[in-house]
Each structure stands twice: as C-alpha cells, then as structure tokens.
Amino acid sequence: MLDVRRMILLREVKARGTLAAVAEALSLSPSAVSQQLGQLEKSVGVELLRKTGRGVQLTPQAEILVAHASDILESLERAEADLASSLTSVTGSIRIAVFQSAALALLPDALRILRREHPELRVEMVQREPETALYETWARDFDLVIAEQYPGHAAVRHAQLDRVHLTSDAIRLAVPPEGLPPVQSLADTAGLPWVMEPRGAASRHWAEQICRRAGFEPDVRFETADLQAQIRLIESGNAVALMPDLVWTGRDPSVHLMDLDGKPHRSIFTSVRRAGANRPAVLACREVLERTARQVAAS
C-alpha cells in the first residue's frame, strides 16, 4: 500500500520546487526528505524525480501521485472541518496572512473581537504580499489570506481557493502639503520624484500603468513596500505616491489627497481552501473581519 505521508511529501516538492525548500518548510533535514522520497520511488517501482539544475522535476508518474495526495489532503481537511463543527465552541488555531494596510486597518479590532468572543481560538498573523500569500495558502502554510486586487489587474487564482469580497477603498494621489511644485492633477506629477512599492507588486504595476495613461513615465526614485515609510517621504516633501484610503483608518490624512479620473477603487477579499471553508475558526474569522470592515467603511 502507498505511504500517504510520503505522497504528501512529494506534493510538497511540487509546491516548493526544491528539496531544501521542503525541508525548511517541514523542519526536516534535506537528507531526510531525500530518503523518504527514495523509499516512495522504491515502493512504486518507477522514477518520480529528476534533477534539473538546482531543483527537481516531477515525472508524469509523480504528477499522478501528487494529484491523489491533493485529494487526500482535501478529504482530511473536510473531515477536520466537520469534526470541529460538531463542537459547541470555536477552538484550535488559525494562521492568517495579510498585507500591510489591511493589517493596520482591520486586524487590531478584529483580533480584539475574536479574543473576546472566541477565547479558545488562537489566531496567528503574518504580514505577506498578496501574491505570495495566496500561493502559500494554497500550499497550506496559512489557513486564511486577506488579499487585494487593483482595477484591471487580476489577482492570481488557485482552483482550490475560494474568494469572498471583504471591502473596497479608493486610491488617490498623495502629494506633500508643501515642498514640491503645486499639483492640480496626475499629469502635473510628471518629472516629480515618486515613491512606489518594489517591482513585481500589483500596486507598482497599476501605478506605472495609470501614469503612462496620463502621458508620462513616473520618476520612481524611492522603492519600499512599507506604506508608513512612503507616507513619511510624502509628508516631508520628498515624493508623491498613489495611496489607498485604508492607510488612513483611525487618523486624519497628513498629506494632500486628490481624486483620480474615474475614481478607481481597490478590492479587498479573503481566500481560504475550499475544503476548509466551513471550519468554525474560518467562519468566525471571516464574520468578524466582515463586521470590522463595515465599521471602518462607515467611519
């Protein structure tokens, strides 16, 4: 009979690309991972992995086992959700991945409510960029992700993940109160210093595209994923940027904000693995997040 644990280990190789990455994720040594996969190859009698540079490539036979391993994991997750649903209280732990502005605006109140209403639930939160977090939720590193989607820029989709809208916020041009030439429109920022997130981020791609549609290439002199650092650069008169409204939750804007043509909005959503969507901890977190998002939108 096939060893299910080794099949799941093979799925980890598919998800993470290298034996070293699998070993790090599972707190094993690379030699232990290699040994377990070698035993799986021996038991099935066919080659499962081929070396390709620094990584490994799965054979067609390995892909078959990975598909079945995924089915097994989904079945086990549904069983866990059904078992947890039979209890009278929300217990256990849940790991949440969230991007920065949502972490600042939504998580403090949501965590406080969860602690009060579900004291037996342990919530762990890690800040991650949405693209990475969605993949890591599919790979089972997280149970729930709060992610974002910019106008005209489709966020990556994984078939095993669902998607539930949480809230949306306007994106505006943020300029210093003083220190730079007067700005009346986006076109007036041509030639001014910009701060943006690093290349590869959806917000960076969207910001560059909207500037190009306005007829200029933005002069990006500063790159940081930290929106608080971006705000300080704008406040101090060193840069302009495009800012989502969520960053101002609980405080007055310290920079001058201007509406963009078309008044674009960013969509914020939650995703979980479909197999675990009915787990009480997931349902509780989503309900509290939705409640918190409504309160923020109404404030």
Side-chain angles (χ1 to χ4, degrees), residues 93-99 102-103 107 110-111 114 121-128 133 136-137 141-147 269-272 279 281-282 284-286 288-289:
S93 63
I94 186 167
R95 282 177 57 80
I96 300 175
V98 59
F99 61 98
L107 264 294
L111 291 172
L114 285 167
L121 177 64
R122 174 186 172 90
V123 181
E124 300 177 2
M125 185 272 288
V126 177
Q127 183 178 317
R128 284 283 196 279
E136 291 178 333
T137 302
D141 292 341
F142 297 100
D143 302 300
L144 182 148
V145 56
I146 305 174
F269 61 92
T270 62
S271 278
V272 303
R279 182 181 160 203
V282 169
C285 285
R286 275 185 154 168
V288 169
L289 284 168

Side-chain angles (χ1 to χ4, degrees), residues 13 30 36 115 122 197 206 208 211 213 226 229 266 269:
V13 177
Q36 290 297 311
R115 187 172 64 251
R122 174 186 172 90
E197 293 198 32
W206 182 83
E208 289 178 332
C211 289
R213 286 197 294 270
D226 186 342
R266 173 184 63 165
F269 61 92

